[in-house]
Amino acid sequence: MLIFSMNYEDGMLYAFMVIMERILVPIWPEQDDIWVTVHGMQLARRINGQLFLLEFLDSKQTTRTLPDNNVHDRGDIVKSLVMDAKKGGVRSVYYKVNGEFYTEVLEYIKAHHITIVVLELPERKGGKYAGDILMLVKQLRETNECKIEIVKHHC
């Protein structure tokens, strides 16, 4: 997104063009670690970007229910993080979607002019979404659609 700003100073008119980064953090149903979400929020705050959180619901859920992670509801945790980020000045949008991870993320990137996507490094053991993440990274690298940040939280 381009933002144009004009400033009148000392009898001169100055025009500035600012490119606002648009950061997407997709969250898949089995993703227990919220570090990728925290990293996306910190990045948005640091570079004054806009954050887009795209939470994928399990195919058994509807958009009215949230995932259950035994101790805490991840949806509530993410909402709390978003509220804290907004208090800190981060512009953010939180969407919940159903659908194929790979396809939905690619469509969202194009439709919302995303400039950076933040992804969690899949575990070695794989999992349902590991293949989708790797395909997504390969596609984004080939098309140069946006920048990619890979995050891995080490405890």
Side-chain angles (χ1 to χ4, degrees):
M1 173 185 284
L2 295 176
I3 299 173
F4 293 95
S5 174
M6 302 196 75
N7 188 13
Y8 187 77
E9 201 174 292
D10 299 326
M12 297 291 291
L13 184 62
Y14 298 94
F16 300 94
M17 182 176 70
V18 179
I19 298 174
M20 180 188 294
E21 298 286 1
R22 298 169 64 85
I23 304 160
L24 174 63
V25 179
I27 306 165
W28 62 90
E30 294 148 11
Q31 186 175 354
D32 293 328
D33 190 354
I34 61 166
W35 179 247
V36 69
T37 305
V38 172
H39 177 76
M41 290 179 183
Q42 290 173 343
L43 177 62
R45 181 177 291 127
R46 190 171 63 245
I47 65 173
N48 196 28
Q50 184 174 9
L51 180 68
F52 295 82
L53 295 170
L54 188 64
E55 182 177 13
F56 284 82
L57 301 174
D58 193 332
S59 59
K60 298 176 196 126
Q61 297 172 329
T62 68
T63 54
R64 288 181 171 71
T65 61
L66 294 169
D68 181 17
N69 284 354
N70 298 330
V71 181
H72 299 288
D73 188 51
R74 185 189 62 213
D76 289 340
I77 293 169
V78 171
K79 285 179 189 176
S80 176
L81 287 170
V82 168
M83 294 306 290
D84 288 345
K86 284 184 177 183
K87 288 177 188 173
V90 174
R91 292 173 303 281
S92 58
V93 179
Y94 178 44
Y95 290 104
K96 289 184 265 181
V97 297
N98 281 313
E100 291 291 323
F101 183 84
Y102 173 80
T103 306
E104 292 290 331
V105 171
L106 276 179
E107 288 176 5
Y108 197 90
I109 288 170
K110 291 176 184 175
H112 293 87
H113 310 288
I114 299 298
T115 58
I116 301 173
V117 64
V118 180
L119 298 165
E120 182 178 22
L121 182 67
E123 295 291 329
R124 284 183 179 249
K125 60 185 172 190
K128 185 176 176 183
Y129 295 93
D132 284 347
I133 291 170
L134 296 175
M135 281 186 351
L136 181 62
V137 168
K138 182 179 178 192
Q139 176 70 24
L140 292 174
R141 285 186 67 206
E142 288 174 359
T143 61
N144 204 19
E145 193 78 38
C146 65
K147 296 177 233 170
I148 307 164
E149 286 208 17
I150 307 289
V151 176
K152 179 61 181 169
H153 183 219
H154 296 284
C155 297

